[in-house]
């Protein structure tokens, strides 16, 4: 079974986000980028499936600028076999990404598509669901456990009330949650091997997809700074403030 994994290049989660002076977006100049953490989990799960003999090939696909090749190389160093970059310097919103992924899926014909449940830059949590709708495939979102069977898979999902297990027929879409696994660090030999693994580069036009944005960002602002806390002398004063000032009781 071929597994397709979608990965995104995002601002590194350790970087403090700064809003541009004109409030048009966040500052990306001279900022460290890395693979979206949820997508790292997706790559790790695909590699584990291959190690268990459930997958025969892992194809990693990313959409974005030429620098996204670095993100693909990271996935190749983790154990993926080859990569595909859909190169575009334009803003790619979730629906456009889902349409591009559908075109890649139609071309590659994988038995399973794994991607992170959301990206930490826009937090949309939409691409996996949109892709499943466009393909007409079953979907298991927020996965904390994946078990492959004969032509099917079971996905344990993180839901508000606890855990839910669903059975899906392959081909299917899985989006990963934090508790699914712990991504591995790429070893130096694998990093060197990844440099020789192939990456095909395509343009959205090659896939016949219109990526024009449908949403417009009007303004980006930093959240208000938290006010300093106060100390109260006793429980009675605390209850009084919660009741009369905070009005939460």
């Amino acid at each position: 079974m071929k597994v397709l994994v979608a990965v995104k290049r995002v601002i590194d989660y350790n970087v403090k986000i700064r809003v541009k002076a004109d409030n048009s977006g966040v500052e990306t100049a001279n900022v460290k980028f890395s693979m979206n953490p949820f997508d790292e989990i997706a790559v790790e799960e695909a590699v584990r499936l291959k190690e268990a003999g459930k997958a025969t090939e892992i194809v990693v696909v990313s959409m974005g600028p030429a620098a996204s090749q670095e993100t693909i190389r990271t996935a190749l160093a983790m154990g993926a076999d080859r990569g595909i970059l859909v190169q575009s310097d334009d803003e790619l919103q979730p629906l456009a990404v889902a349409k591009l992924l559908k075109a890649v899926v139609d071309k590659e014909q994988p038995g399973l598509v794994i991607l992170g449940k959301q990206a930490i830059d826009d937090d949309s949590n939409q691409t996996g669901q949109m892709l499943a709708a466009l393909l007409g495939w079953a979907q298991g979102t927020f996965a904390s456990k994946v078990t492959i069977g004969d032509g099917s898979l079971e996905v344990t999902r993180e839901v508000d009330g606890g855990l839910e297990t669903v059975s899906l027929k392959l081909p299917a879409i899985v989006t990963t949650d934090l508790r699914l696994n712990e991504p591995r660090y790429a070893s130096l030999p694998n990093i060197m091997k990844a440099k020789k693994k192939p990456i095909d580069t395509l343009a959205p036009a090659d896939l016949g997809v219109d990526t024009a944005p449908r949403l417009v960002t009007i303004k980006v602002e930093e959240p208000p700074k938290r006010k300093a806390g106060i100390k109260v002398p006793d429980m009675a004063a605390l209850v009084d403030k919660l009741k009369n000032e905070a009005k939460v009781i």
Side-chain angles (χ1 to χ4, degrees), residues 228-234 237-238 241:
I230 61 171
K231 291 184 179 181
V232 293
D234 51 39
L238 174 62
K241 288 187 177 295

Side-chain angles (χ1 to χ4, degrees), residues 12-120:
D12 190 87
Y13 62 90
N14 287 314
V15 173
K16 178 176 173 54
I17 303 298
R18 293 180 290 115
V19 176
K20 291 181 178 179
D22 60 359
N23 295 107
S24 62
V26 299
E27 190 61 63
T28 57
N30 301 316
V31 172
K32 181 184 177 183
F33 282 78
S34 62
M35 188 190 302
N36 178 48
F38 289 102
D39 297 340
E40 283 187 320
I41 295 171
V43 175
E44 174 66 25
E45 191 63 22
V47 173
R48 293 188 184 189
L49 289 175
K50 185 177 180 181
E51 290 173 343
K54 302 293 185 181
T56 55
E57 184 183 25
I58 302 170
V59 182
V60 176
V61 59
S62 186
M63 287 87 179
S68 296
Q69 285 198 25
E70 299 174 12
T71 305
I72 296 176
R73 291 289 179 199
T74 300
L76 296 176
M78 291 174 66
D81 297 297
R82 58 187 176 92
I84 299 173
L85 171 63
V86 182
Q87 187 171 329
S88 174
D89 293 323
D90 299 330
E91 178 189 1
L92 296 177
Q93 295 178 351
L95 181 58
V97 173
K99 288 180 177 180
L100 290 170
L101 282 173
K102 179 185 182 298
V104 174
V105 168
D106 290 341
K107 181 180 178 181
E108 292 290 333
Q109 294 294 308
L112 178 65
V113 178
I114 311 177
L115 60 162
K117 71 171 185 177
Q118 65 194 77
I120 61 172

Side-chain angles (χ1 to χ4, degrees), residues 119-166:
I120 61 172
D121 52 2
D122 57 18
D123 276 332
S124 292
N125 182 19
Q126 296 174 343
T127 303
Q129 294 89 329
M130 288 178 170
L131 177 60
L134 290 172
L135 288 169
W137 288 9
Q139 59 178 306
T141 55
F142 317 126
S144 61
K145 183 179 179 182
V146 176
T147 305
I148 302 288
D150 185 13
S152 65
L153 75 160
E154 285 192 352
V155 178
T156 301
R157 305 179 59 240
E158 302 271 351
V159 296
D160 290 341
L163 300 175
E164 175 187 60
T165 301
V166 295

Side-chain angles (χ1 to χ4, degrees), residues 16 88 166 174-175 178 184:
K16 178 176 173 54
S88 174
V166 295
V174 172
T175 70
L178 287 173
R184 70 191 65 191

Side-chain angles (χ1 to χ4, degrees), residues 202-235:
L202 304 171
D206 297 333
L207 299 172
V209 177
D210 178 13
T211 60
R214 299 189 175 212
L215 306 174
V216 178
T217 300
I218 297 173
K219 191 176 184 181
V220 176
E221 294 180 312
E222 289 190 15
K225 293 182 178 179
R226 292 183 61 181
K227 296 180 180 179
I230 61 171
K231 291 184 179 181
V232 293
D234 51 39
M235 183 60 69

